[in-house]
Amino acid sequence: MGASFDHGEDGNLHLAREGGHSHRRIVHAADMTGREIERALLEAVQKDPNIFVFEHHFAIDLLTSQDGSDTVCHGVDTLNTETQEVVRFISKITLLASGGAGHIYPITTNPPVATGDGVAMAHRAQAVISNMEFVQFHPTALADEGLPIRPTKARENAFLITEAVRGDGGILYNLDMERFMPSYDERAELAPRDVVARSIDDQIKKRNEKYVLLDISHKSREKILSHFPNIAAECMRYGLDITRKPIPVVPAAHYMCGGVRAGLQGETNVLGLYVAGEVACTGLHGANRLASNSLLEALVFARRAVQPSIDHTKSSCTDHSASRWWPRPTMPKSLGNTILSNIIHRTREVRDELQSIMWEYVGIVRSTTRLQTAERRIGELELEWETYLFQQGWEPTMVVLEACEMRNLFCCAKLVVSSALARHESRGLHYTIDFPHLEESKRLPTIILPSSFVSNTWSSRQLHRQQICHKSVVPAKISI
């Protein structure tokens, strides 16, 4: 499709090595591989006359029905954030490619739209969710506090210092310029991300410091600027020359290995619903994603979903009355601008509070007591927020972007906490001091099954579900 990757002097593709890799295996485009792949894909989409792109549309909820024992997806309701209109899409096939849920944490490399919308919608629509406890924290995000010139405003998301910096020989130091990784793991800076993130977290807590340092300045200036032009330019904006000085770094929430449970073709237990990318849990990453495998997984599973989608479309028929089956979401215009403004303001405060709870109690190193505290405080915060909304005149069918994202953040946070409490071992990205060892008998995925009841809380309720005929569903539970 025209993606341009780096080549070596011999004319062959240049391969990078990253943490956990035994040899060089990663095709890349300088330090912006994801951006280059996205550029090529978007150009191909724009050139295809059969593809219609609806920008600025926020997905609210999936439209589902119960047909015997089957849950069937018929499309999605969306909110056009430019016109503030609700737009309903009816479709035989819906593929979720909505990314992760990094913004359940205050420090994340994810873009602001990564609020777990796809996982939460699928959960409400009776899809099986798996392995949500495995949240990957990238060891090296730029620590703004350590820059010579501090940014004047807070970033929407942390700036990522690619793992390839360590793959190219970058060394981690504490603020006394003591190299610490060899004392944690024999692979030192090339240990897997979870090991490096926990080691940095340990150094920061033990020394009561805000960040550590990543130094690549011992390499030639030419090599640094050719391999890491984006990082060099961003640091130079704030007075830091990475060819001469180390980079201040701190761990940040980065990737969800868990998500909507998918089969080998990207299919889910909901008929007509497919998933690809970070929203999916394909099992490919296990408990700890290796660097760069997420781009490969997204491409492979999106491609695999094509043929079964075509087959399903040919074998099913469209009911043209389907659009009238579900109540339509409404904009809260009747509340008035002042009340709506207050609701949005309070929702943003609640979002900050939820993120703080997750960072404090459900971070890189966990314990049963802290997870239970998080579970209780998240439940109380969600109830308090919903009570406030309905006291202001909010109704269950009302939608506004900030509130929809908030309910999804609550959902994903609760899924992470519940899954973490269910795993009584330390495996991959889930490390708990109460069960510090890996137990081979527990080498099983964490499964969150569909619930047979409709929750009384607005956040957990799916409005867009049509009962065609009764079915019995497995009661909600988590098993490992």
Side-chain angles (χ1 to χ4, degrees):
M1 290 183 178
S4 178
F5 299 111
D6 289 1
H7 289 72
E9 293 178 0
D10 59 1
N12 295 321
L13 285 166
H14 183 268
L15 301 180
R17 181 184 177 190
E18 303 186 37
H21 298 176
S22 56
H23 59 275
R24 291 182 172 270
R25 58 179 285 265
I26 299 301
V27 172
H28 66 102
D31 55 350
M32 296 172 284
T33 312
R35 180 184 293 180
E36 175 59 17
I37 288 175
E38 185 176 353
R39 180 202 63 76
L41 286 170
L42 286 176
E43 281 191 9
V45 164
Q46 288 161 358
K47 290 176 182 176
D48 193 317
N50 291 324
I51 299 176
F52 298 85
V53 177
F54 295 84
E55 295 185 336
H56 308 293
H57 281 61
F58 174 85
I60 300 168
D61 246 336
L62 296 170
L63 306 168
T64 66
S65 67
Q66 297 300 137
D67 186 4
S69 62
D70 294 326
T71 302
V72 185
C73 182
H74 301 275
V76 65
D77 268 348
T78 69
L79 173 63
N80 183 329
T81 57
E82 298 282 284
T83 64
Q84 299 301 304
E85 294 176 311
V86 172
V87 182
R88 177 164 287 176
F89 292 92
I90 299 296
S91 176
K92 294 179 182 179
I93 294 291
T94 302
L95 187 142
L96 287 176
S98 53
H103 280 269
I104 58 176
Y105 293 97
I107 304 173
T108 176
T109 60
N110 292 184
V113 294
T115 50
D117 309 307
V119 174
M121 286 193 303
H123 177 61
R124 290 193 293 267
Q126 306 288 293
V128 175
I129 309 297
S130 187
N131 288 359
M132 288 294 285
E133 71 271 34
F134 299 126
V135 181
Q136 185 170 76
F137 288 82
H138 199 288
T140 55
L142 185 63
D144 289 343
E145 288 179 294
L147 292 169
I149 303 170
R150 292 276 293 274
T152 53
K153 62 178 182 178
R155 298 178 192 268
E156 289 183 317
N157 51 285
F159 183 81
L160 178 67
I161 306 298
T162 173
E163 192 158 309
V165 173
R166 284 181 287 119
D168 254 16
I171 297 173
L172 285 164
Y173 297 96
N174 60 33
L175 296 192
D176 285 336
M177 291 307 292
E178 299 167 339
R179 187 182 182 189
F180 57 84
M181 275 311 302
S183 65
Y184 290 97
D185 193 285
E186 61 183 13
R187 293 163 291 186
E189 282 78 11
L190 286 177
R193 288 178 179 176
D194 62 310
V195 175
V196 181
R198 282 200 300 274
S199 303
I200 293 173
D201 182 67
D202 188 56
Q203 283 286 305
I204 288 172
K205 287 175 179 174
K206 276 182 178 176
R207 298 172 59 85
N208 194 29
E209 293 171 346
K210 300 289 187 184
Y211 53 87
V212 297
L213 300 170
L214 176 60
D215 190 21
I216 192 71
S217 64
H218 51 279
K219 296 288 183 178
S220 73
R221 178 180 178 85
E222 181 183 27
K223 184 175 182 180
I224 294 169
L225 294 180
S226 65
H227 283 194
F228 310 113
N230 191 40
I231 294 170
E234 181 68 15
C235 289
M236 189 60 79
R237 283 179 61 196
Y238 301 102
L240 178 65
D241 182 354
I242 68 169
T243 67
R244 300 176 61 191
K245 298 283 186 180
I247 307 166
V249 294
V250 67
H254 184 59
Y255 188 88
M256 307 290 293
C257 285
V260 185
R261 190 169 176 83
L264 292 177
Q265 309 300 319
E267 76 277 17
T268 71
N269 63 299
V270 177
L271 297 180
L273 180 66
Y274 291 77
V275 286
E278 195 174 349
V279 71
C281 181
T282 63
L284 185 145
H285 304 304
N288 191 3
R289 177 177 73 85
L290 275 177
S292 293
N293 280 357
S294 54
L295 288 170
L296 298 174
E297 182 206 38
L299 292 167
V300 167
F301 278 85
R303 178 67 179 174
R304 283 184 177 185
V306 172
Q307 192 56 50
S309 296
I310 293 171
D311 295 342
H312 180 83
T313 301
K314 289 178 178 177
S315 64
S316 60
C317 58
T318 302
D319 187 333
H320 295 289
S321 69
S323 185
R324 300 193 296 272
W325 289 355
W326 305 273
R328 281 191 176 269
T330 57
M331 298 302 297
K333 295 175 182 175
S334 59
L335 299 182
N337 291 338
T338 301
I339 289 177
L340 185 56
S341 178
N342 291 339
I343 285 174
I344 291 172
H345 177 73
R346 179 58 189 141
T347 299
R348 287 173 179 162
E349 290 179 339
V350 169
R351 180 166 169 159
D352 290 342
E353 290 175 44
L354 175 67
Q355 291 173 334
S356 296
I357 293 169
M358 291 297 290
W359 191 258
E360 180 70 22
Y361 298 103
V362 200
I364 296 170
V365 176
R366 300 163 179 174
S367 73
T368 301
T369 301
R370 297 176 78 77
L371 289 171
Q372 289 171 339
T373 300
E375 188 173 51
R376 174 179 53 80
R377 290 189 57 183
I378 290 169
E380 292 171 350
L381 184 62
E382 184 179 35
L383 180 61
E384 175 194 323
W385 175 64
E386 287 192 358
T387 301
Y388 172 79
L389 255 62
F390 287 101
Q391 285 175 344
Q392 301 300 309
W394 189 267
E395 295 178 9
T397 55
M398 288 181 173
V399 291
V400 68
L401 177 64
E402 290 82 358
C404 288
E405 286 187 334
M406 191 68 246
R407 74 196 285 237
N408 294 335
L409 288 166
F410 269 124
C411 176
C412 289
K414 291 188 294 184
L415 291 172
V416 170
V417 174
S418 297
S419 300
L421 280 167
R423 184 166 293 281
H424 294 169
E425 64 164 350
S426 288
R427 181 181 295 274
L429 300 167
H430 172 69
Y431 183 84
T432 170
I433 60 174
D434 294 310
F435 306 97
H437 304 295
L438 183 146
E439 301 285 346
E440 281 307 300
S441 63
K442 300 185 187 299
R443 184 191 282 275
L444 293 167
T446 307
I447 304 294
I448 300 176
L449 297 170
S451 61
S452 59
F453 60 90
V454 177
S455 172
N456 290 326
T457 64
W458 173 68
S459 292
S460 303
R461 189 186 302 134
Q462 186 200 20
L463 294 174
H464 309 85
R465 184 174 168 211
Q466 176 73 18
Q467 193 79 20
I468 293 179
C469 57
H470 294 290
K471 61 175 266 189
S472 71
V473 188
V474 180
K477 67 176 181 178
I478 300 175
S479 59
I480 56 171

